[in-house]
Amino acid sequence: MYLTKVEEQMLDGEQGEVVERCMRLLTRLGDVYEAEKMIPIGSVQVAGVSYKSVGDPGLEFLEDFASKGAKVRTLTYLNPAGMDLENWKVFGFPEDFAKKQMRIMEAFRSMGIVVTATCTPYLAGNLPRFREHIAWSESSAVSFSNSVIAARTNREGGPSALAAALVGRTPNHDLHQDENRKPNFVVKVDADMDASSDFGALGYIVGKTVKNGTPYFTGLPLDSNTDKLKALGAAMAASGAVALWYGEGLTPEAHLMDTNGLEVIEVGEQELKEAYEALTDGEHPDLVVIGCPHASLREIGEVADKLEGKTITKDLWVCTSRVMKEAADRMGYTDIIAKAGGKIVADTCMVVAPIEQMGFKTTGINSGKAAKYLPGFCKQKVVFANLDTLISEVE
Amino acid sequence: MLMHGRVISPGEAEGEALVSPEPIGFYGGIDYMTGIVIEKDHPLEGQNVQGKILVFPNAKGSTVGSYVVYALAKKETGPLAIINAQTEMIVATGAILGDVPTIDGIDINKIKTGDRLRVVAPLNDRVGTVEIL
């Protein structure tokens, strides 16, 4: 791989040990993936923030970097933490877990990383430009930025994204290059796509089928908002490894793509119904969680609307970023949800929080991504349904 | 039988193959404290990857998987080596950081669970070998 003089100095250790290690990782990855050079990046999003995800090995790794004075060279945001960073005590997050989590946050902060803790950085102040090269790692955010914004990022691992932030560059390969961004499946959707969970169910089916392919959707309603597109991409990234998709009439570069001769997958009402069934293995949730990926203000408002004047008998969390939470506070949504017996939980989500340690056994969700992860990672039974059904379950 | 592939992460290992016909999601799919596959309905559910040569087509799921691959290596609960049809970034990063010998571009259908394998991934060569002993 071609390296500039500055990049060679980084690799030779002239800018310190951490920069050298980061460059070694990135150039090795670049060689593997046949990048011809490194390219500057406009922003980074780092996954692997929850203590539950990274454990002691991750914590030690991050503290080692921080203690050596590592500093990021581009706008860098973080994935959700394992708890609400301000209200963890109130919500019953375990204290020893909280201490380790705070050490992780401090390590990131000292490297100059914005300690936002969200899987939707694009809703919280890290919004890439059309065709901007970035290095993001949260799989749903990678899908959103590549597809809905048409920025360019590979699915980075947590450490490779951190390394990219610390040197301000990433190897130029795969989804950074236009020739690797062509669709290889057409998905014809012929179903009522109303609820966010419909998009999650569709994403679950398509991700499972195309694996790491690039699907091109036709038939999605042209008024589908970004909340629904975020749900679709998140589910495909969880059930498969989809990092890029196109939506006819919906995503910026779809009209530039040639879909002639591609394998066609048809998804109708029957397939969607089967997906709802496949994603459900429990009944009567003791916890309902909305906000995977993190809820937008509009989604929080929808929950508040449906809960206004009601009292729920089980736990209900709305997971979101601190930024959206503050707007929700100001709009009165937080109070409405609290009066009904629910909570807005910021900085974290049910997948990376230790909910199994908190006594929950069955979780109700409207997210295809969460439905895929909760059984393995949180030992939960799952009820996958739309928002109305979930709320009726806990009334 | 000797097969040639691409070196992702250098090193050498010899051991027993554990083959997954399906992709593996490391985050939420494997418990790094024990090495046990915990993904529901996965073909390897309940099996332990520790000390095995783990063979699978590619990784899927969360990108936090890199830290899991790294943690498996650091805790010595992970595989001795990894063989993929196609290694993507999640496994490559974890394997390079954790010094897990890794080769891809291998026809994994030729390998069966229980086969004794020798993996040679040279540091300064792009081509590595997987031998079924």
Side-chain angles (χ1 to χ4, degrees):
Chain A
M1 176 166 43
Y2 168 79
L3 294 181
T4 65
K5 204 169 171 197
V6 172
E7 288 161 0
E8 274 181 0
Q9 288 169 349
M10 289 175 162
L11 188 60
D12 291 342
E14 286 177 35
Q15 297 194 19
E17 185 196 327
V18 171
V19 168
E20 179 188 340
R21 266 171 82 184
C22 292
M23 275 305 270
R24 197 180 306 140
L25 172 65
L26 295 175
T27 51
R28 179 136 209 114
L29 288 171
D31 282 340
V32 167
Y33 295 109
E34 295 174 12
E36 83 289 8
K37 60 174 184 179
M38 307 282 282
I39 41 169
I41 43 175
S43 79
V44 170
Q45 196 260 357
V46 176
V49 177
S50 170
Y51 174 66
K52 180 175 159 180
S53 310
V54 301
D56 290 323
L59 172 60
E60 285 160 25
F61 181 86
L62 294 167
E63 286 190 334
D64 179 44
F65 267 31
S67 71
K68 294 183 168 117
K71 294 278 181 240
V72 295
R73 300 180 187 216
T74 187
L75 178 69
T76 305
Y77 269 45
L78 288 179
N79 231 18
M83 62 185 195
D84 186 308
L85 295 170
E86 290 179 16
N87 301 309
W88 58 269
K89 256 188 191 149
V90 184
F91 293 154
F93 289 96
E95 179 139 18
D96 49 342
F97 182 93
K99 280 190 182 146
K100 298 271 180 91
Q101 184 64 67
M102 286 310 196
R103 280 172 57 190
I104 291 173
M105 301 317 284
E106 182 49 33
F108 281 128
R109 200 193 54 76
S110 74
M111 288 188 252
I113 294 172
V114 184
V115 281
T116 40
T118 179
C119 48
T120 58
Y122 45 89
L123 294 177
N126 185 355
L127 180 64
R129 189 197 73 224
F130 178 61
R131 293 184 180 165
E132 185 170 38
H133 292 280
I134 59 176
W136 285 20
S137 48
E138 153 59 27
S139 62
S140 73
V142 164
S143 175
F144 191 94
S145 58
N146 267 328
S147 313
V148 181
I149 301 169
R152 270 89 174 104
T153 180
N154 286 318
R155 279 166 62 95
E156 297 292 338
S160 68
L162 180 62
L166 293 169
V167 303
R169 294 159 167 82
T170 194
N172 187 31
H173 64 92
D174 286 285
L175 294 178
H176 287 286
Q177 298 174 308
D178 286 356
E179 62 268 29
N180 301 319
R181 296 175 62 91
K182 293 173 183 155
N184 49 13
F185 291 90
V186 170
V187 182
K188 281 191 178 166
V189 181
D190 183 13
D192 279 337
M193 301 292 295
D194 297 324
S196 179
S197 52
D198 295 338
F199 286 78
L202 173 64
Y204 167 74
I205 299 167
V206 174
K208 230 171 122 91
T209 313
V210 310
K211 301 200 163 65
N212 59 355
T214 301
Y216 180 104
F217 288 89
T218 66
L220 290 177
L222 294 182
D223 60 356
S224 306
N225 63 29
T226 46
D227 297 334
K228 290 171 177 172
L229 304 185
K230 130 171 114 67
L232 174 65
M236 288 193 286
S239 69
V242 175
L244 167 65
W245 57 274
Y246 295 92
E248 193 171 57
L250 285 170
T251 65
E253 292 180 313
H255 65 287
L256 303 173
M257 298 298 139
D258 181 7
T259 57
N260 277 323
L262 298 184
E263 184 181 330
V264 175
I265 301 160
E266 298 194 11
V267 181
E269 297 291 355
Q270 182 59 31
E271 285 79 14
L272 277 192
K273 187 169 164 271
E274 284 166 13
Y276 273 83
E277 287 163 9
L279 289 171
T280 297
D281 67 350
E283 48 185 2
H284 309 308
D286 43 30
L287 171 68
V288 163
V289 187
I290 307 302
C292 172
H294 272 169
S296 67
L297 186 63
R298 177 169 46 206
E299 289 173 312
I300 302 171
E302 282 165 13
V303 175
D305 260 2
K306 291 185 196 298
L307 286 182
E308 186 147 29
K310 290 183 182 164
T311 306
I312 56 173
T313 55
K314 302 283 167 58
D315 282 277
L316 180 144
W317 294 2
V318 181
C319 296
T320 192
S321 61
R322 180 68 51 193
V323 172
M324 290 296 121
K325 163 81 164 42
E326 282 175 7
D329 291 351
R330 199 174 276 188
M331 291 304 293
Y333 299 157
T334 311
D335 280 345
I336 294 170
I337 292 168
K339 272 190 192 123
K343 291 166 184 155
I344 296 186
V345 184
D347 312 315
T348 186
C349 82
M350 65 289 201
V351 180
V352 295
I355 62 170
E356 70 280 19
Q357 286 179 38
M358 298 164 82
F360 298 113
K361 300 256 187 293
T362 303
T363 305
I365 42 176
N366 65 346
S367 156
K369 171 175 179 165
K372 188 67 199 157
Y373 284 158
L374 284 174
F377 212 64
C378 302
K379 299 176 177 64
Q380 296 292 295
K381 297 263 186 203
V382 166
V383 175
F384 176 76
N386 64 33
L387 181 58
D388 285 325
T389 309
L390 291 176
I391 288 181
S392 69
E393 284 275 359
V394 293
E395 263 183 80
Chain B
M1 185 178 16
L2 188 68
M3 295 184 277
H4 293 83
R6 174 175 68 160
V7 176
I8 302 291
S9 173
E12 293 186 17
E14 192 175 316
E16 198 180 299
L18 178 62
V19 182
S20 168
E22 291 288 319
I24 291 180
F26 282 83
Y27 175 68
I30 297 186
D31 176 7
Y32 72 79
M33 297 300 287
T34 61
I36 293 171
V37 178
I38 52 175
E39 182 181 332
K40 199 169 75 84
D41 299 332
H42 192 276
L44 296 190
E45 185 181 0
Q47 304 224 44
N48 198 326
V49 302
Q50 184 178 29
K52 299 286 166 58
I53 293 183
L54 188 58
V55 182
F56 55 103
N58 59 280
K60 63 172 182 176
S62 171
T63 54
V64 172
S66 295
Y67 281 115
V68 178
V69 175
Y70 171 74
L72 283 164
K74 208 169 169 205
K75 293 223 171 274
E76 298 180 352
T77 50
L80 298 175
I82 292 174
I83 297 170
N84 292 146
Q86 192 190 7
T87 303
E88 43 49 80
M89 189 92 81
I90 299 171
V91 166
T93 302
I96 292 168
L97 283 172
D99 289 325
V100 184
T102 300
I103 289 182
D104 83 344
I106 297 291
D107 181 358
I108 63 166
N109 296 320
K110 296 209 162 77
I111 306 173
K112 307 264 174 302
T113 290
D115 283 352
R116 188 130 196 104
L117 303 180
R118 178 161 174 71
V119 178
V120 179
L123 175 61
N124 291 315
D125 196 341
R126 298 182 77 86
V127 178
T129 56
V130 175
E131 190 177 1
I132 304 177
L133 301 172

